[in-house]
Amino acid sequence: MTESLAAYRWKGKSLTRAEFYQTLREIEDPAERRQLLEGYSDAVLKAHRQGLFPMVGELNVIAKRYGFTNYAELVGRLINGITPQEFNRLVQDFHDANETKIKAFVAELRELNGGQPVSEWDAHYLADRLARKKLQGRIIPKLKFSDALDVAKRFFKDVGIDLNQPPFAG
C-alpha cells in the first residue's frame, strides 16, 4: 500500500489500518461509523489509483509472458497456490457448508441492530458487541504466534488448503 495510507487521518488523529478497524468497532453512532468507513475506503481507492492501478497494464504483460491470463491469476497461483476459479470454488464450498451458520450470525447481528438491516459500517461494531455479549465479560487469551499459526493451518485445511504443502511449506 502506498505511503498515503500508512496512517489515515480521522478527527485529527492518524489511524493505522488496525486502528481504523478498532475505531470502527468502538463508534456507537451509525452515521459516524459510516463516515469513517466511507472516508477510509475513499483513501484506499485514491492510494491504489496513485500506486497500483497505473502499473496493472505492465503487470498483466509480465504475467502473460509466463503463461498467465493476467496479473491477478499469477499472484493467486504464486501466493495462494490456486487459480482464481479454484479460489472462487473454495469460497462457494465454504459458504455452502456453512450457510445455516452464516444466516444465523447475520440474524443475531440484525437483532442487535434493533431489527434493522446490517450495513457494512455496522458489521464490525455489531460483531464486537455480539462477541462481548456471548463472552459475558470473559477475556479471550492472546495466542502465541505459533499457536495462532496452528489455528490458521487448521482453518485453511478445513477449506481445502494445506499450508504444510508446497508452495506454502518450505
Side-chain angles (χ1 to χ4, degrees), residues 11-30:
K11 294 188 173 186
K13 180 182 174 197
S14 290
L15 299 178
T16 64
R17 184 175 180 189
E19 291 168 331
F20 157 73
Y21 283 109
Q22 182 63 38
T23 303
L24 198 57
R25 284 190 295 273
E26 294 171 352
I27 297 174
E28 291 186 23
D29 179 21

Side-chain angles (χ1 to χ4, degrees), residues 25-107:
R25 284 190 295 273
E26 294 171 352
I27 297 174
E28 291 186 23
D29 179 21
E32 194 174 346
R33 286 195 303 268
R34 180 178 185 170
Q35 184 182 22
L36 172 60
L37 179 70
E38 288 177 349
Y40 184 80
S41 297
D42 288 347
V44 168
L45 187 56
K46 180 180 178 185
H48 283 308
R49 280 189 183 129
Q50 293 171 348
L52 180 63
F53 290 173
M55 298 184 322
V56 169
E58 296 171 40
L59 295 171
N60 284 339
V61 169
I62 293 168
K64 286 178 182 179
R65 253 189 246 146
Y66 292 96
F68 296 93
T69 306
N70 54 40
Y71 182 68
E73 183 181 347
L74 178 141
V75 169
R77 183 55 98 179
L78 295 180
I79 293 176
N80 302 322
I82 58 176
T83 66
Q85 296 80 11
E86 291 167 331
F87 177 78
N88 288 340
R89 181 187 47 78
L90 285 172
V91 170
Q92 186 62 51
D93 290 349
F94 179 82
H95 177 271
D96 293 347
N98 294 284
E99 185 172 11
T100 303
K101 292 177 185 176
I102 293 167
K103 286 182 177 180
F105 176 70
V106 172

Side-chain angles (χ1 to χ4, degrees), residues 113-158:
N113 204 31
Q116 299 297 312
V118 177
S119 300
E120 59 189 295
W121 49 84
D122 296 323
H124 289 276
Y125 174 82
L126 294 171
D128 184 70
R129 294 306 172 271
L130 180 61
R132 289 174 190 227
K133 178 181 169 184
K134 288 185 174 194
L135 290 171
Q136 300 175 344
R138 292 174 298 186
I139 303 293
I140 299 174
K142 292 186 178 183
L143 294 176
K144 294 184 296 186
F145 178 76
S146 59
D147 294 337
L149 184 58
D150 289 340
V151 169
K153 285 180 178 182
R154 287 194 310 271
F155 168 79
F156 282 104
K157 190 160 186 121
D158 286 347

